[in-house]
Amino acid sequence: MKKIFIDGSAGTTGLRIFDRLSERKDIEIITLSEELRKDPDARKEALNSADIAFLCLPDAAAIEAVSMIENDNTVVIDTSTAHRTNSEWAYGFPELSVENYEKIKASKRIAVPGCHASGFIALIYPLVEAGIIGKDELLNCFSLTGYSGGGKKMIAEYNDQNRSQLFDAPRQYALSQKHKHLPEMSVVTGIRNAPIFCPIVSDFYSGMQVTVPLFATQLTNGKNIDDIKKAYINKYNGPIVEFVDSIDNDGLISTAALSGKDSMKIAVYGNEERILLTAVYDNLGKGASGAAVECLNIVLGIDSTTGLVI
C-alpha cells in the first residue's frame, strides 16, 4: 500500500484531492494535526515518508517543499505554477502524447497543469503538432471560470452576504496581460508568442470554458475546420478528455456543464471562415485536483480514471 501526503491539504485543491482519495483502499494518507500542518519538521518528515507527495501550495512554498525531500524514492506531484515549464519535470497532461504519458509514468517530479492553461493547451497542442497552425501564429484566448479558482479568499468574498454588487456580474481580470499561466501556455504548445488572454470569473462555484477563436486564414497549407476536427478525433477519444460533436444546449454552452467532474470535452464550432475551438471542464477537476489524481494513478500503474468522477 502506497503512502500519500498532501502538503497544503486545507486549500481548495488539496481538499478536492483528499476527497477523491479518502475512500480508496489501495493507498494510505499521511495526515498532520492542525497544530503540525505548517510545522517545517513535521512536514519534512511527512514528505520523506511518503511514496507520493502532492504539493498544493503557493509557488515559493512548493519550491521549499521540494528542497526538503531527501528520499530519492518520493514522487512529487506539484499543483503550483513553480515547475510547469521546467523540462526536468513531467508535464501532467498525459493525453497530449504517448511520450508525455510515459514521462509521467516514469518521473519522480510531475507538474500539474494550470486550470486555464489546460484548456488552451488541449486545444492548441494538437494543431501545432499536426502543422494546422504555425508556431508564429498570433492567438487570442478567453476563459470563463467559477470563483473557486481563486481559492479560499475569493470563495469567502463570493459567499459574503454583504458583498458588493460588483460580484453579481462576470469580472475580467489579469488585465496587464501577464497572467501566470502564459509561460506554460507557450512552452507546452510550442508557440513562440503568448496569446492575448482574457480570463473572466463569475458567480458560480466551479466550472471552466476556454475558447480560442481562429480565422480560416490562420490555418496553414489550405487546412480547414474538418482538419481541426480530425486532429482532435485522433488525439482525444476519452475516457477523461474527449472530442465531441457538440457541447451546447440549444446553441448555448454552460461553463458549469462539467462542474464536479474530472473530465474534459472538446468541441469545434463556427464555419469555414471563422472557427471557435472550445474546451469545457471543471477548474477544480481536469483543471487541478482531478488532473493531479490522474497523474497519481499513472504513477501507480493503474487505470487513469480510478477514484475520479467522469
Side-chain angles (χ1 to χ4, degrees), residues 33-111:
S33 65
E34 185 63 27
E35 293 76 18
L36 295 177
R37 186 168 59 83
K38 295 185 178 181
D39 180 87
D41 292 333
R43 288 176 57 224
K44 183 174 181 178
E45 181 179 353
L47 286 164
N48 285 281
S49 298
D51 295 296
I52 299 103
F54 290 96
L55 306 183
C56 304
L57 304 163
D59 289 4
I63 293 170
E64 179 188 44
V66 173
S67 73
M68 293 180 178
I69 299 174
E70 300 168 348
N71 184 348
D72 293 338
N73 294 317
T74 298
V75 176
V76 177
I77 301 177
D78 181 15
T79 69
S80 81
T81 310
H83 301 102
R84 291 174 184 160
T85 59
N86 187 332
S87 61
E88 295 180 1
W89 286 60
Y91 190 71
F93 203 118
E95 292 83 5
L96 295 182
S97 67
V98 173
E99 293 76 16
N100 211 50
Y101 178 95
E102 292 298 331
K103 186 173 182 178
I104 294 167
K105 186 176 181 179
S107 182
K108 292 289 194 298
R109 298 291 183 267
I110 302 163

Side-chain angles (χ1 to χ4, degrees), residues 119-127 210-212 232 236 266 277-279:
F120 179 82
I121 290 166
L123 295 170
I124 296 304
Y125 183 98
L127 306 190
V210 174
T211 298
V212 178
Y232 291 153
Y236 304 128
I266 303 286
L277 315 176
T278 303

Side-chain angles (χ1 to χ4, degrees), residues 5-16 18 32 37 56-57:
F5 176 56
I6 306 170
D7 196 3
S9 60
T12 309
T13 300
L15 287 170
R16 176 69 72 88
F18 183 85
L32 298 178
R37 186 168 59 83
C56 304
L57 304 163

